[in-house]
Structures are given as structure tokens and as C-alpha cells.
């Protein structure tokens, strides 16, 4: 299989097809630079066909019982687990995610299995209007579009597709142009698992074409999106300009971690270093800003740098590697621009791979788009390094003197996805936790630590929805009130 070029397809109405005009784009491995796949660039006609297929499939799919809709969901969960190594390899060659860090298949199978069993949406009843038995119904939208990013594609595919189709909707998924292979793999199993034609359609291509066409489509009634805040804004505008489709957003972050003087330093260092450098810093909730009590700054940074410097860089398909390349040239160049900016800004810097990071590519002589972790400290709070999402293994470690100062700095951002704090003082932990403007707060833990059955999502510019095993299905159901006149029912 190694070295063999993949020729991917779209899935429309259970048919694996090329783009209507046969156009493709090349997908390069960020480690070797080789073309690993030819990916169809879905056209506007393909979007039309996929939406029409979903619309046609909807009445029959929505009228099945939850158990009938659940049967193919269970099958796809089984397929995902049986093929988890291949899925890990596909994401590794597409966007550089180390196979050693691949939890995505387990996550996806859990979500498909859960919604296979748990799709019994219910409304309310009311006897509060004399002479009436009133009720509310929760019903699927019809056609739902799902647009996902590249940093954990299978995670986003499953957490959105599973609840949407379990609720009775039919979907058109658009994968990311940077990591379309695991979605394409799942597309090949849809018919085998027993999904009727049109229930799940999978497109690949760039956002400006197929993504925008889905966001503008008059027949798409809801759209669930995970990606950057910039694209979220564009989709919001497209929704407003078309049919005001419901939109659900999980967007970017610039997450702070606060380390108080009494924190368990070893634990705080270990977890915050993992948070920012896991997936080479390409995680929405990575703690890219760390505020450490001034008195422990030296010890903290020394231990942090030691850990960051011991990452095992290299081929993401090698199970001994825990730090792969950035996803593609665009990401790589953006991260390196921020590093150069930080180095000019007069703060302190520890570059764990100074020579390699300074080369045309990180490994100097190889084609890999690796970036070694870089730690900046004493950077002005107004710097783009502190304000903007870098999406790379670059952290800013600044200090604070008082609790209020730490909270003020942590909250001084347009993002609000995940905040963390480390302290042994329980009352302070809760007090500060309450004041942090963030959808998720870790106390003596940091991202990616979370909880699959509690709301996941951001405040402020980090999003509008909350996803979780218990909540996601609500995004894919409309509510209707039914007023039933029953004069004879008495009191
Ligand atoms: P992106 O916004 O560039 O792309 C995401 C998806 O949107 C891709 O499929 C892309 O093709 C599509 N797209 C681009 N322009 C579009 C348009 N005009 N209309 C419709 N679709 C369009 O994001 P990315 O680079 O793929 O992912 C990284 C971003 O995602 C980061 O900002 C990260 O923080 C965020 N993210 C957020 C979460 C979360 O749960 N909050 C999780 C993962 C990633």
C-alpha cells in the first residue's frame, strides 16, 4: 500500500463518483512532500446532486423507527474499529497526525454506537390551556450540511453525522481539502452498512466552491460547522443571504492556562506542554497562552522546555513518533511567520529546534514540514502572538502577580473555548473558574481533557453551539407546537 497513489471519489446517492467535470487536486504528504492522492474537487453540480439525493432520501429515512435507523450506524461503528489502523494511516499521510496519538477511531465508534441506541427525541405535553391537550414535537430538518476541518477529521465526521442521521435527517458532508482521506474511506462503507441511497453523501473539495455552495443552498435547512472563526463568519453571512438556515459553530481558540504558586508544578508542566504540542499545536483548545505566577516562572519554563525538547519528531506513520509535521505548506509557513515575528518582538525565546526551525523546512534537508516547539515569554499582551490563533507548537508563557491580574489577562481575548487553572486551593479554583469567560474550564487539568457527555463548545468568537453525546441531537431537530382543541376532556 505504501507509495501507492490513491484516487479518491465523492459519494452521491450511494454511488462513488468523480467530480462532474473530472477535476481533481493533488494531496501532498506533509512529511515526504509526495503526492499521496488525487482528490475530486466537487463542483456546484455535484453539490446540487448531493443535496437532491439527500432531499429525496429524507421522507423514507425520517419515517423509519429509531432502531431501524440505528442498525447501519452500528455497522459503521464496527467497520471503523476493524479498520482503525488504516484510518490512522490515511490521516497521517494526509495531514501528518502521528498514528501513535490516534484516538479518533474509538471516539467515532463510540458516537455511532451511542446514537444507534439513543435516538428517541421527545417533546412536551401541556394541559395548561383549558379545553386543550397541547404538545410539542421535535422533528428532523430534512437536508443538513456538515463541514469539517482537517485536524481530527474522523472525530468531527462522527460527532456531527451520527446525531444528524439518527435524528432522521439526511446529510451532505464536505471534508477538508487538507485531510479528505478518512472521510473518503467511510464513504466507501456507507452502502455496505445499509444506509439507503442519499442518506449520507460525502463531498471533497475546497471551501470557496463546494463549502460556500452548501452554505448558500436554499434546500439545506441546517449546517453544522467546525473550523476557523473566519470561515464561521463567512458561513453565517451565507446563511443570512440565503435561507437563514440554522448554523451550529465550533470555532477557533486562544486558550489560557493559569498556574498559581501552589500548583502541582510537575503535573501542570506535563499537561500544559502536552496541550500545546499535541498534534503539533493544531488543536482548537490547545493552551497557547500560559500565565504563571511570577515567583515560579523560572522553574516552570525550565521544566516545560525540557519536556518540549524531548518530543519525538519524524514520520507520522511511525508508531514511535509523537510529533508530526504541520498539515501543509500554508500552515507551516503561517507558523514560521509567527515564530519570526516573536523573535523580533524583544521577548525571551527558547526554540527547541533553533537550527531546524530556521531552515527552509524544519529538518533542513528533508521535505518534512515539521516545526519544533518554541516557547516565548515576556511578550506584550497586545502582540499577535498573544491575540491570534497560531495553530502550531508555539506557546507564550507570561506572568501575573495577583489573581485578578491572571483573570483579566486570561479573559482579554475574543476567543473563549477552553481555559485551565492549576491550584491546590479549592475555593480559589471555583472562584476563578466562575470568572473565566470560556465554554470549558479545566481545574487541575487542561485540554484535551474533557468529558464526552458534557457540553463541548466556546463562548465569544469560539462558537455558538454545544456538542456532546447528550446534547448534539438537539442541533438537528426542529421544534413544533401542536395545539389540539379537546373541549370534552374536562379538568
Ligand atoms: P477552515 O475554517 O479553514 O476550514 C474548515 C472547513 O471549512 C474546511 O472543510 C474548508 O474547506 C471549509 N471552508 C473554507 N471556507 C469556506 C467557506 N467560505 N464556506 C464554507 N466552507 C468553507 O479551518 P481549518 O483550517 O480546516 O481548521 C482549523 C480551525 O478549526 C482552527 O481555527 C481550529 O481552532 C478550528 N477548530 C475548532 C474546533 C472546535 O471544536 N471548536 C475543533 C477543531 C478545529
Amino acid at each position: 500500500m505504501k507509495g501507492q497513489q490513491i484516487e479518491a471519489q465523492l459519494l452521491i446517492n450511494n454511488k462513488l463518483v468523480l467530480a462532474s467535470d473530472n477535476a481533481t487536486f493533488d494531496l501532498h504528504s506533509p512529511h515526504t512532500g509526495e503526492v499521496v492522492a488525487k482528490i475530486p474537487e466537487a463542483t456546484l453540480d455535484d453539490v446540487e446532486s448531493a443535496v437532491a439525493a439527500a432531499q429525496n432520501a429524507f421522507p423514507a429515512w425520517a419515517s423509519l423507527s429509531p432502531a431501524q435507523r440505528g442498525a447501519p450506524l452500528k455497522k459503521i461503528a464496527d467497520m471503523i474499529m476493524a479498520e482503525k489502523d488504516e484510518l490512522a494511516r490515511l490521516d497521517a499521510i494526509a495531514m501528518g497526525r502521528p498514528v501513535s496519538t490516534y484516538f479518533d477511531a474509538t471516539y467515532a465508534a463510540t458516537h455511532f454506537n451511542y446514537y444507534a441506541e439513543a435516538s428517541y427525541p421527545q417533546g412536551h405535553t401541556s394541559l395548561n390551556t383549558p379545553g386543550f391537550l397541547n404538545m410539542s414535537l421535535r422533528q428532523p430538518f430534512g437536508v443538513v450540511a456538515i463541514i469539517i476541518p482537517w485536524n481530527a477529521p474522523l472525530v468531527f465526521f462522527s460527532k456531527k453525522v451520527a446525531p444528524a442521521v439518527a435524528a432522521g435527517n439526511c446529510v451532505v458532508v464536505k471534508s477538508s481539502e487538507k485531510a479528505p482521506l478518512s472521510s473518503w474511506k467511510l464513504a466507501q462503507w456507507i452502502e455496505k452498512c445499509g444506509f439507503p441511497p442519499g442518506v449520507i453523501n460525502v463531498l471533497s473539495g475546497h471551501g470557496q466552491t463546494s463549502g460556500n455552495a452548501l452554505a448558500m443552498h436554499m434546500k439545506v435547512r441546517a449546517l453544522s460547522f467546525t473550523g476557523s472563526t473566519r470561515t464561521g463568519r463567512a458561513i453565517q453571512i451565507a446563511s443570512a443571504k440565503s435561507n437563514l438556515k440554522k448554523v451550529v459553530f465550533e470555532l477557533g481558540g486562544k486558550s489560557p492556562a493559569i498556574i498559581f504558586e501552589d500548583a502541582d508544578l510537575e503535573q501542570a508542566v506535563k499537561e500544559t506542554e502536552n496541550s500545546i504540542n499535541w498534534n503539533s499545536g493544531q488543536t482548537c483548545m490547545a493552551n497557547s497562552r500560559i500565565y504563571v505566577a511570577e515567583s515560579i516562572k523560572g522553574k516552570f519554563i525550565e521544566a516545560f522546555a525540557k519536556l518540549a525538547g524531548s518530543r519525538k519528531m519524524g514520520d507520522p506513520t511511525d508508531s514511535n513518533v509523537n510529533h508530526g509535521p504541520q498539515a501543509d505548506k500554508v500552515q507551516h509557513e503561517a507558523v514560521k511567520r509567527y515564530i519570526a515575528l516573536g523573535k523580533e518582538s524583544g521577548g525571551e525565546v527558547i526554540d527547541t529546534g533553533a537550527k531546524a526551525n530556521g531552515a527552509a523546512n524544519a529538518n533542513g534537508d528533508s521535505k518534512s514540514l515539521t516545526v519544533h516547539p518554541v516557547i516565548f515569554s515576556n511578550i506584550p499582551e497586545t502582540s499577535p502572538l498573544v491575540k491570534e490563533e497560531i495553530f502550531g507548537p508555539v506557546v507564550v508563557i507570561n506572568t501575573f502577580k495577583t489573581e485578578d491580574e491572571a483573570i483579566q489577562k486570561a479573559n482579554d481575548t475574543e476567543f473563549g473555548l477552553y481555559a485551565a487553572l492549576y491550584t491546590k486551593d479549592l475555593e480559589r479554583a471555583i472562584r476563578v473558574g466562575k470568572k473565566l469567560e470560556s465554554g470549558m474550564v479545566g481545574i487541575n487539568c487542561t485540554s484535551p481533557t474533557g468529558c464526552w457527555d458534557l457540553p463541548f463548545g466556546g463562548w465569544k468568537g469560539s462558537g455558538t453551539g454545544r456538542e456532546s453525546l447528550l446534547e448534539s441531537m438537539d442541533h438537528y431537530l426542529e421544534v413544533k407546537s401542536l395545539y389540539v382543541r379537546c373541549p370534552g376532556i374536562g379538568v
Side-chain angles (χ1 to χ4, degrees):
M1 196 66 186
K2 207 172 176 185
Q4 203 176 312
Q5 205 177 84
I6 291 167
E7 296 196 355
Q9 295 99 10
L10 314 172
L11 181 76
I12 300 175
N13 213 20
N14 275 4
K15 299 253 174 336
L16 289 162
V17 295
L18 298 176
S20 63
D21 62 359
N22 289 328
T24 60
F25 61 94
D26 290 343
L27 182 72
H28 295 262
S29 152
H31 180 62
T32 65
E34 286 166 11
V35 176
V36 290
K38 296 267 178 211
I39 308 295
E41 177 71 58
T43 62
L44 300 183
D45 283 347
D46 295 322
V47 170
E48 285 305 324
S49 306
V51 171
Q55 216 184 356
N56 290 339
F58 173 65
W61 180 249
S63 66
L64 294 178
S65 72
Q68 287 168 321
R69 284 199 298 269
L73 289 165
K74 279 190 190 158
K75 289 207 180 118
I76 205 161
D78 292 345
M79 296 283 290
I80 288 169
M81 286 315 285
E83 297 276 342
K84 65 180 181 355
D85 293 343
E86 176 60 2
L87 290 164
R89 189 188 75 84
L90 290 173
D91 282 342
I93 62 171
M95 52 66 73
R97 170 77 173 284
V99 294
S100 68
T101 67
Y102 207 72
F103 72 98
D104 310 36
T106 308
Y107 181 100
T110 302
H111 280 67
F112 280 113
N113 271 325
Y114 177 82
Y115 288 107
E117 300 279 355
S119 58
Y120 289 85
Q122 294 191 339
H124 297 115
T125 53
S126 163
L127 283 174
N128 296 325
T129 307
F132 281 79
L133 167 61
N134 292 332
M135 62 191 80
S136 68
L137 308 179
R138 287 162 79 225
Q139 296 176 280
F141 279 86
V143 182
V144 171
I146 288 172
I147 302 182
I148 59 175
W150 49 266
N151 60 341
L154 190 55
V155 163
F156 301 110
F157 189 112
S158 61
K159 83 191 294 193
K160 294 177 188 296
V161 171
V165 299
N169 300 284
C170 295
V171 300
V172 180
V173 185
K174 194 199 82 65
S175 60
S176 164
E177 59 278 16
K178 296 190 205 305
L181 296 180
S182 49
S183 298
W184 163 69
K185 194 77 194 169
L186 260 60
Q188 294 169 53
W189 302 335
I190 298 296
E191 187 173 20
K192 259 187 241 165
C193 290
F195 288 102
V199 172
I200 300 178
N201 304 276
V202 185
L203 304 180
S204 51
H206 289 76
Q208 290 74 6
T209 315
S210 47
N212 180 56
L214 287 169
M216 288 294 294
H217 207 290
M218 294 299 288
K219 297 284 192 274
V220 171
R221 295 293 169 192
L223 188 155
S224 179
F225 170 74
T226 296
S228 64
T229 302
R230 178 180 35 79
T231 305
R233 212 168 257 135
I235 292 175
Q236 182 90 279
I237 291 169
S239 162
K241 282 188 175 163
S242 54
N243 58 350
L244 280 173
K245 55 183 66 62
K246 176 183 174 175
V247 288
V248 179
F249 291 149
E250 298 286 3
L251 308 176
K254 191 73 188 175
S255 295
I258 303 173
I259 321 297
F260 287 100
E261 206 171 19
D262 64 347
D264 178 334
L265 204 67
E266 197 184 329
Q267 183 193 17
V269 167
K270 189 167 143 239
E271 294 178 359
T272 53
E273 190 279 334
N274 176 59
S275 174
I276 180 61
N277 290 324
W278 193 86
N279 204 12
S280 304
Q282 303 169 127
T283 316
C284 52
M285 52 187 165
N287 53 218
S288 48
R289 298 181 291 143
I290 301 179
Y291 296 103
V292 57
E294 212 164 60
S295 57
I296 56 168
K297 174 188 168 184
K299 271 196 280 183
F300 184 89
I301 293 186
E302 190 187 338
F304 191 100
K306 199 167 158 206
L307 262 189
S310 67
R311 298 219 136 238
K312 296 192 181 60
M313 335 285 290
D315 182 348
T317 62
D318 176 345
S319 58
N320 296 310
V321 163
N322 68 2
H323 193 101
Q326 305 312 118
D328 70 355
K329 276 193 177 152
V330 177
Q331 296 298 126
H332 185 243
E333 276 161 24
V335 174
K336 291 187 79 164
R337 263 200 310 279
Y338 279 108
I339 294 174
L341 182 74
K343 287 183 177 173
E344 284 161 15
S345 73
E348 296 150 37
V349 55
I350 299 174
D351 186 337
T352 66
K355 196 159 161 253
N357 278 349
N361 54 63
N363 289 344
D365 54 350
S366 92
K367 295 245 174 358
S368 182
L369 301 174
T370 308
V371 175
H372 293 246
V374 181
I375 301 149
F376 287 104
S377 58
N378 207 11
I379 295 284
E381 285 293 310
T382 50
S383 161
L385 265 76
V386 177
K387 292 284 173 238
E388 295 170 16
E389 186 179 43
I390 299 174
F391 233 49
V394 180
V395 70
V396 174
I397 305 182
N398 278 347
T399 58
F400 65 89
K401 288 199 184 71
T402 64
E403 184 179 303
D404 283 347
E405 184 190 351
I407 295 167
Q408 184 275 324
K409 286 181 169 170
N411 285 342
D412 188 12
T413 170
E414 282 306 310
F415 294 106
L417 192 54
Y418 193 121
L421 65 99
Y422 286 81
T423 177
K424 294 200 179 91
D425 179 341
L426 180 63
E427 286 179 5
R428 171 158 67 189
I430 304 297
R431 185 169 64 238
V432 176
K434 275 173 66 186
K435 289 186 182 161
L436 289 170
E437 295 166 0
S438 186
M440 297 170 280
V441 176
I443 292 181
N444 293 323
C445 63
T446 184
S447 65
T449 302
C451 171
W452 294 356
D453 57 349
L454 276 189
F456 181 106
W459 284 22
K460 305 199 271 190
S462 288
T464 57
R466 292 294 179 277
E467 294 180 305
S468 81
L469 287 173
L470 296 182
E471 258 142 306
S472 289
M473 206 144 82
D474 287 343
H475 294 313
Y476 305 106
L477 292 164
E478 270 288 22
V479 180
K480 177 188 290 169
S481 291
L482 214 59
Y483 313 124
V484 187
R485 189 186 296 279
C486 296
I489 61 176
V491 283

